[in-house]
Amino acid sequence: MNGNALDRLVVLFSKLPGIGKKSAGRIAYHILDSNPSFAVTLANELSGLHKAIRKCSICGGFTEADPCFVCCDPKRDSSIICVVESAQDIRIIEDGKEFSGVYHVLGGLIAPLDGVSPANLSIDKLINRLSDTKNKQVKELILALNPTVEGDTTALYLQKTLKEYSVIISRLASGMPVGGNIEYIDKLTLSRSFRGRIRI
């Protein structure tokens, strides 16, 4: 990697998702303008991240303690498992404070064009959770997957694969966002809105 230390840092930051070269430059200059102790703390946290954080042996979410705080919480409803694409989705759902069940992280979505098959995901582990005699109380799987071609493909695969288990399989509703204007809604979203309509 060519250039000085600042240039190299900008290049590294620009490799992060959602951060372009300009944003990477602003972050790098902010660190440079800050107290040196901030850079040291940041570096220490980053260097120890993989040692401190691991995957929960039950749900696959990121945690410092194994099992994670969700899987260990006796107040959570273990009869409902929310299936998500990535560990990051758990934090987003938890921030909403609407879900009180437990989670299962697939680790991706089925995408044949990208070389991602069901074998690459933690579907077998999900089946084991349903087959485990201790988990016979599982009543529902909520598929909290993105409404994309890959998300739809994965949801359909799970529905077919898990049909032999006596568990309800549901999917998050998708449609018009709150405050949205019907004039600007795409056809697929509008179609999903009609299919997912609720009685009032």
Side-chain angles (χ1 to χ4, degrees):
M1 197 180 294
N2 297 324
N4 58 34
L6 184 59
D7 293 334
R8 293 194 295 272
L9 188 60
V10 170
V11 170
L12 286 173
F13 280 141
S14 65
K15 291 182 178 181
L16 295 173
I19 298 180
K21 198 164 186 179
K22 285 185 179 180
S23 295
R26 283 195 292 271
I27 295 171
Y29 276 100
H30 175 77
I31 293 172
L32 200 57
D33 287 334
S34 300
N35 190 303
S37 63
F38 173 72
V40 172
T41 302
L42 179 62
N44 288 337
E45 290 295 334
L46 285 173
S47 64
L49 188 62
H50 284 89
K51 289 183 179 178
I53 305 296
R54 69 199 78 174
K55 286 187 177 181
C56 174
S57 58
I58 298 175
C59 71
F62 288 128
T63 180
E64 280 192 289
D66 187 22
C68 69
F69 75 95
V70 174
C71 292
C72 284
D73 189 350
K75 295 179 182 178
R76 306 292 294 218
D77 186 355
S78 58
S79 70
I80 305 175
I81 299 178
C82 182
V83 180
V84 295
E85 175 186 348
S86 67
Q88 182 182 353
D89 297 331
I90 295 178
R91 172 169 289 200
I92 295 169
I93 295 172
E94 284 295 291
D95 286 345
K97 301 186 185 302
E98 287 289 330
F99 181 66
S100 59
V102 294
Y103 297 94
H104 185 85
V105 180
L106 289 177
L109 296 173
I110 297 172
L113 294 177
D114 296 326
V116 182
S117 70
N120 300 122
L121 309 180
S122 63
I123 295 174
D124 286 345
K125 195 170 183 179
L126 177 60
I127 292 173
N128 290 337
R129 289 181 74 175
L130 296 176
S131 302
D132 191 341
T133 53
K134 293 183 291 184
N135 290 324
K136 288 298 182 184
Q137 74 274 16
V138 175
K139 297 175 182 175
E140 182 180 5
L141 288 180
I142 301 175
L143 306 183
L145 306 175
N146 290 324
T148 60
V149 172
E150 293 80 9
D152 291 346
T153 301
T154 306
L156 184 61
Y157 179 86
L158 289 173
Q159 187 178 358
K160 289 181 177 179
T161 303
L162 304 175
K163 64 182 179 181
E164 65 183 82
Y165 297 91
S166 56
V167 60
I168 297 169
I169 300 178
S170 60
R171 192 160 181 196
L172 290 184
S174 59
M176 290 179 61
V178 175
N181 190 320
I182 197 168
E183 179 182 356
Y184 303 109
I185 301 297
D186 63 272
K187 292 179 181 178
L188 179 58
T189 301
L190 190 58
S191 174
R192 288 179 183 275
S193 299
F194 273 101
R195 291 201 304 269
R197 66 189 183 279
I198 58 174
R199 187 173 181 176
I200 58 173

